[in-house]
């Protein structure tokens, strides 16, 4: 490890570190615009200048200079100070004075660094150049006159998202950043360029002119749009969440977030259930809580009650419903709304065992029945790193546009029993072989064959478990830990013909199969479940209650409450607690703290943040063979997979424009 001296302090730095990283290890702040820890080094903003000896007697860009033995680095010399002031002066030559009307104001790198490292005045009086606006789709608002050509957006699109949609035109002072042919950026991670942009050139279209950052209350939460459990921050004002931003968590989502997780936020205030409803003569009528509970009590289901949990439900809600059903004598619990049926006796067999970060280390990967770009967009960015390192990626299922080199083996699952030589050779030579089984594979009963594949190629070895199942619902692993899985799937519930079906925000269920049941819907949006319900009890969305979520890798995470539910809606657990009183049973808790304590007492893993331990991978059953053809994937429209997204005008426009090719004219057109 080379030793360097930074402003008189000697320290050792890792081999291959840059001078900028060495300065940060020494506790020095180095200004930068183009440099980003997760992107390749561009070295084109020149803001990170430092003085280095031995070397030429001039400032040097620290982001592109390797740290080497014996370097003496100055970050605070007069030369460095003057050079940074000069660079900032150049950067501001053409930058417009938009701060009062710019959405980046208050959280702008250019603002902050111009105050800290710039001069008090500019010596340039020439007219500023203007750049025409570019169209980047319904999510990204462009004001390209503000652009300083740091190329972060270009490098993100090419290196992380793997979609070459943004690039630079022309040269010198005429250089412009744009999408090719000025078409919308269509990939599922496109809006992350807004976070990366250090100025106000790329800002959030739906959030434009909504609020200033100092007006907002910030709440830590978890993204429920998929099963990854991406860490997010909810920014709210009053009783409304105005935006969702990603938080840094290298183990889960790094610092990225899918466009759906970010922009379905406006759906939180639309199509909301804010009062109880009772169906009378085939029509839903508004009611009071007392009337709704009396109507449920009138059903008097006894043991004949079943519970179906939706895809975005927290563990506390599922546990409260489980205790309610248990108090009535029922164990009919199911969370796999669409009819999936797989063995849940050992959760290690349905867990993402490599870990979301660990999967990057795989050198051979087989994906069975998963459209990863739509089912887990942030994970797909990690899978790109496997291919970039030279790893082999193979897929079974209908073809979709991957963002990395991959080989499709067809959509017939029987290929698992007779793999091509290229696959067997790659997995035999692999040090860290891995498999990902998705929802389409689980739906075709491929779990046993995939376990046999894991045994054949030793996917489990010292320090490595390459067997992974990728779920699509934020509530799935938590539900499985709480017992929301019947041996025959939801068909088992249908066969029992329960008098009362308690639906916890379950909007993907085929309710026509429960025609003889009284359906009580506890949810927050007037979506499919509410349309089928006989009684609607309005509940809270994920942003309106604290809760525990378990992601697809078995990571237990906590979310906080950002705002209050609208109207007469209440937190789910309070609705279920009152429902227990109406049905004349005791559930054993009267407060949220008591509920969480009872839940962690019954399932201790839910009381510890971090990865749950599910034990070792089970053996494959004898004669485990795969058959059947994967004709399609469960997700048909990336932007409209849950009731919040379906209520969102932004997601509806994304679906119409980016997937279905509809044209939206601007006001001037």
């Amino acid at each position: 490890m080379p030793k360097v001296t930074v402003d008189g302090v000697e320290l050792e730095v890792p081999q291959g570190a840059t001078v900028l990283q060495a300065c940060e290890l020494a506790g020095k702040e180095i200004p930068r615009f183009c440099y980003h820890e997760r992107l390749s080094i561009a070295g084109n903003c020149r803001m990170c200048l430092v003085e280095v000896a031995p070397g030429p007697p001039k400032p040097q860009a620290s982001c592109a200079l390797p740290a080497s033995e014996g370097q003496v680095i100055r970050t605070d010399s007069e030369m460095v100070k003057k050079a940074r002031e000069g660079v900032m002066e150049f950067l501001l030559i053409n930058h417009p004075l938009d701060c009062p009307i710019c959405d980046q104001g208050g959280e702008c790198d250019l603002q902050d660094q111009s105050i800290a490292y710039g001069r008090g005045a500019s010596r340039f009086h020439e007219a500023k150049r203007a750049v025409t606006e570019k169209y980047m789709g319904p999510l990204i608002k462009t004001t390209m006159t503000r652009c300083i050509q740091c190329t972060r957006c270009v490098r993100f699109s090419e290196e992380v998202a793997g979609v070459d949609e943004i690039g630079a035109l022309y040269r010198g002072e005429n250089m412009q950043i744009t999408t090719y042919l000025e078409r919308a950026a269509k990939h599922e991670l496109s809006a992350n360029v807004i976070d990366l942009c250090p100025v106000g050139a790329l800002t959030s279209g739906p959030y434009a002119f909504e609020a200033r950052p100092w007006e907002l209350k910030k709440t830590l939460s978890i993204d429920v749009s998929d099963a990854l459990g991406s860490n997010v921050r909810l920014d709210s004002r009053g009783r409304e969440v105005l935006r969702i931003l990603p938080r840094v968590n290298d183990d889960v989502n790094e610092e990225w977030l899918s466009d759906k997780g970010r922009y379905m936020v406006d759906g939180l205030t639309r199509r909301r259930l804010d009062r109880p409803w009772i169906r009378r003569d085939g029509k839903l009528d508004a009611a009071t809580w007392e009337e709704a509970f009396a109507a449920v009590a009138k059903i008097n289901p006894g043991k004949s009650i079943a519970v179906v949990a939706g895809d975005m439900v927290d563990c506390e809600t599922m546990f409260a419903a489980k205790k309610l059903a248990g108090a009535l004598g029922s164990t009919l619990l199911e969370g796999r709304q669409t009819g999936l049926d797989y063995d849940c006796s050992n959760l290690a067999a349905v867990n993402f065992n490599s870990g979301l970060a660990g999967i990057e280390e795989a050198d051979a990967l087989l994906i069975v029945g998963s459209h990863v770009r739509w089912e887990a967009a942030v994970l797909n960015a990690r899978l790109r790193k496997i291919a970039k390192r030279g790893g082999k990626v193979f897929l079974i299922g209908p073809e979709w546009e991957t963002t990395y080199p991959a080989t499709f083996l067809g959509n017939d699952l029987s290929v698992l029993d007779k793999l091509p030589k290229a696959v067997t050779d790659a997995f035999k030579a692999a040090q860290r072989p891995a498999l990902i089984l998705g929802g389409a594979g689980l739906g075709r009963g491929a779990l046993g064959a995939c376990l046999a594949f894991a045994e054949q190629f030793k996917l489990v070895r010292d320090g490595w478990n390459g067997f992974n199942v990728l779920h699509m619902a934020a509530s799935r692993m938590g539900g499985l830990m709480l017992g929301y899985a019947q041996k025959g799937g939801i068909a088992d519930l249908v066969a029992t013909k329960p008098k009362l079906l308690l639906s916890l925000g379950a909007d993907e269920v085929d309710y026509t199969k429960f025609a003889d049941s009284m359906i009580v819907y506890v949810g927050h949006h007037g979506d499919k479940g509410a349309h089928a319900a006989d009684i609607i009890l309005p509940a809270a969305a994920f942003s309106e209650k604290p809760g525990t979520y378990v992601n697809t890798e078995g990571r237990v995470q906590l979310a906080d409450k950002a705002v209050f539910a609208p109207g007469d809606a209440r937190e789910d657990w309070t609705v279920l607690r009152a429902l227990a009183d109406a049905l004349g049973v005791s559930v054993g808790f009267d407060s949220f703290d008591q509920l969480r304590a009872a839940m962690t007492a019954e399932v201790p893993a839910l009381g510890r943040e971090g990865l749950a331990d599910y034990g070792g991978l089970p053996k494959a059953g004898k004669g485990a063979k795969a058959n059947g053809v994967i004709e399609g994937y469960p997700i048909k429209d990336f932007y409209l997979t849950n009731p919040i997204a379906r209520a969102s005008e932004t997601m509806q426009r994304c679906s119409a424009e980016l997937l279905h090719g509809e044209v939206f004219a601007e006001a001037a057109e």
Side-chain angles (χ1 to χ4, degrees):
M1 293 174 65
K3 285 186 179 180
V4 300
T5 303
V6 180
D7 291 341
V9 178
E10 187 177 80
L11 71 155
E12 286 188 346
V13 297
Q15 193 69 41
T18 63
V19 169
L20 186 150
Q21 291 168 325
C23 293
E24 293 197 328
L25 284 172
K28 302 295 179 180
E29 181 181 335
I30 303 296
R32 84 291 296 268
F33 292 111
C34 68
Y35 176 81
H36 191 277
E37 293 81 355
R38 302 185 198 277
L39 304 176
S40 63
I41 294 171
N44 54 7
C45 78
R46 318 310 284 180
M47 195 63 206
C48 62
L49 294 173
V50 297
E51 189 178 343
V52 182
K58 65 175 185 178
Q60 299 188 61
S62 59
C63 69
L65 185 64
S68 58
E69 183 68 35
Q71 282 179 333
V72 178
I73 304 163
R74 292 287 306 278
T75 69
D76 56 0
S77 67
E78 191 59 34
M79 178 197 290
V80 170
K81 182 176 181 293
K82 190 173 181 180
R84 289 175 180 171
E85 288 177 352
V87 169
M88 181 60 70
E89 200 170 356
F90 277 121
L91 287 173
L92 293 174
I93 288 175
N94 289 310
H95 196 80
L97 298 175
D98 281 353
C99 297
I101 60 161
C102 177
D103 273 319
Q104 198 86 344
E107 47 192 8
C108 175
D109 291 350
L110 190 62
Q111 276 185 334
D112 297 341
Q113 293 184 41
S114 62
I115 291 172
Y117 302 101
R119 298 177 76 246
S122 173
R123 291 169 288 181
F124 292 93
H125 301 288
E126 289 79 12
K128 294 180 181 290
R129 73 158 188 167
V131 180
T132 55
E133 303 309 340
K134 315 298 180 189
Y135 184 67
M136 293 193 181
L139 303 180
I140 305 170
K141 179 176 180 285
T142 65
T143 312
M144 300 314 291
T145 300
R146 302 171 187 161
C147 179
I148 62 170
Q149 288 90 39
C150 70
T151 68
R152 280 186 180 181
C153 55
V154 177
R155 285 173 285 148
F156 172 84
S157 296
E158 292 179 355
E159 298 165 12
V160 178
V163 182
D164 296 343
E165 288 187 334
I166 302 178
L169 300 179
Y170 316 124
R171 299 179 66 185
E173 72 167 352
N174 295 318
M175 179 177 173
Q176 299 181 22
I177 303 294
T178 179
T179 53
Y180 297 114
L181 304 179
E182 293 196 26
R183 290 178 179 170
K186 290 187 177 181
H187 61 83
E188 301 76 18
L189 299 172
S190 64
N192 287 286
V193 299
I194 296 167
D195 298 333
L196 289 172
C197 185
V199 296
L202 304 178
T203 53
S204 173
Y207 178 69
F209 310 124
E210 285 289 330
R212 288 298 195 182
W214 53 84
E215 299 177 295
L216 304 175
K217 184 184 80 170
K218 300 167 177 59
T219 306
L220 306 185
S221 189
I222 302 298
D223 173 34
V224 297
S225 66
D226 57 33
L228 295 187
S230 299
N231 288 203
V232 298
R233 190 186 85 197
L234 308 180
D235 286 358
S236 57
R237 183 178 61 194
R239 298 189 66 162
E240 184 177 356
V241 178
L242 294 179
R243 66 176 178 179
I244 300 177
L245 297 177
R247 286 188 285 137
V248 177
N249 187 329
D250 287 336
D251 293 329
V252 182
N253 58 305
E254 297 180 288
E255 59 186 82
W256 317 127
L257 185 60
S258 74
D259 290 350
K260 179 170 56 183
R262 183 189 299 262
Y263 280 118
M264 68 181 189
V265 61
D266 62 321
L268 288 169
T269 57
R270 292 178 171 85
R271 299 186 189 172
R272 289 302 303 269
L273 299 173
D274 59 359
R275 67 183 70 178
W277 298 81
I278 299 175
R279 190 176 298 277
R280 300 188 179 102
D281 299 325
K283 181 182 176 182
L284 285 169
D285 293 330
T288 65
W289 279 106
E290 290 76 13
E291 290 172 336
F293 287 136
V296 176
K298 192 175 180 181
I299 300 169
N300 190 23
K303 293 182 180 180
S304 186
I305 178 174
V307 183
V308 181
D311 289 347
M312 300 188 293
V313 184
D314 56 291
C315 291
E316 285 82 358
T317 297
M318 289 187 283
F319 180 76
K322 178 182 179 180
K323 298 305 286 184
L324 173 60
L328 291 167
S330 173
T331 58
L332 296 174
L333 311 171
E334 185 55 72
R336 299 166 294 182
Q337 301 180 67
T338 55
L340 290 177
D341 175 23
Y342 45 83
D343 184 13
C344 300
S345 56
N346 187 330
L347 294 186
V350 291
N351 186 48
F352 203 93
N353 296 292
S354 299
L356 299 176
I359 192 65
E360 296 177 9
E361 300 176 21
D363 48 6
L365 174 65
L366 176 64
I367 302 174
V368 181
S370 179
H371 187 328
V372 186
R373 273 188 71 172
W374 282 11
E375 294 172 15
V378 176
L379 174 64
N380 194 61
R382 288 190 185 273
L383 300 187
R384 263 183 56 76
K385 299 178 185 179
I386 298 174
K388 285 173 72 174
R389 281 202 332 270
K392 302 291 186 183
V393 181
F394 305 95
L395 300 98
I396 298 175
E399 292 195 21
W400 49 276
E401 188 178 344
T402 62
T403 58
Y404 39 83
T407 303
F408 281 87
L409 305 176
N411 55 2
D412 193 334
L413 285 169
S414 63
V415 73
L416 279 168
D417 300 324
K418 193 175 181 181
L419 292 163
K421 185 175 184 300
V423 180
T424 56
D425 289 349
F427 274 85
K428 285 176 181 176
Q431 298 298 310
R432 292 180 178 270
L435 175 143
I436 294 177
L437 174 60
L442 285 171
R444 286 290 178 181
L447 182 58
C450 288
L451 287 170
F453 178 92
E455 290 180 15
Q456 179 183 353
F457 293 103
K458 297 182 174 58
L459 265 57
V460 181
R461 51 186 74 179
D462 286 344
W464 177 253
N465 186 336
F467 186 84
N468 304 294
V469 170
L470 178 60
H471 297 292
M472 293 172 286
S475 64
R476 182 70 74 247
M477 286 304 293
L480 296 180
M481 292 169 73
L482 288 167
Y484 275 74
Q486 296 295 306
K487 195 166 186 181
I490 204 161
D492 195 38
L493 267 61
V494 174
T496 61
K497 296 184 178 179
K499 286 178 66 176
L500 190 153
L501 178 69
L502 183 59
S503 171
L504 305 177
D507 291 288
E508 317 304 328
V509 175
D510 182 1
Y511 285 102
T512 59
K513 296 178 179 179
F514 294 95
D516 298 328
S517 303
M518 180 69 76
I519 300 170
V520 177
Y521 180 79
V522 181
H524 42 78
H525 274 76
D527 206 77
K528 301 172 186 176
H531 284 289
D534 297 297
I535 299 171
I536 296 174
L537 304 178
F542 77 99
S543 58
E544 298 155 2
K545 58 185 174 182
T548 302
Y549 296 91
V550 187
N551 74 352
T552 192
E553 62 177 343
R555 185 179 299 275
V556 179
Q557 302 183 106
L558 302 181
D560 292 331
K561 176 179 179 176
V563 294
F564 288 94
D568 289 336
R570 296 292 182 266
E571 293 182 26
D572 305 55
W573 76 268
T574 63
V575 175
L576 295 166
R577 174 65 184 80
L579 198 55
D581 284 345
L583 293 170
V585 294
S586 173
V587 288
F589 56 83
D590 296 309
S591 68
F592 183 77
D593 289 339
Q594 291 178 1
L595 164 60
R596 183 170 274 177
M599 180 181 74
T600 55
E602 187 169 308
V603 186
L606 292 176
R608 296 187 294 269
E609 288 189 80
L611 292 173
D613 184 5
Y614 299 129
L617 199 67
K619 297 287 185 183
K622 290 184 178 179
K625 289 187 178 293
N627 53 62
V629 175
I630 299 175
E631 297 172 350
Y633 297 105
I635 295 179
K636 306 301 181 187
D637 188 321
F638 168 73
Y639 298 102
L640 303 176
T641 57
N642 62 64
I644 300 176
R646 287 191 285 267
S648 164
E649 289 185 355
T650 304
M651 291 295 95
Q652 290 173 19
R653 174 163 177 176
C654 285
S655 173
E657 181 175 347
L658 303 182
L659 294 185
H660 302 294
E662 291 187 26
V663 177
F664 288 79
E666 297 299 320
E669 299 174 331

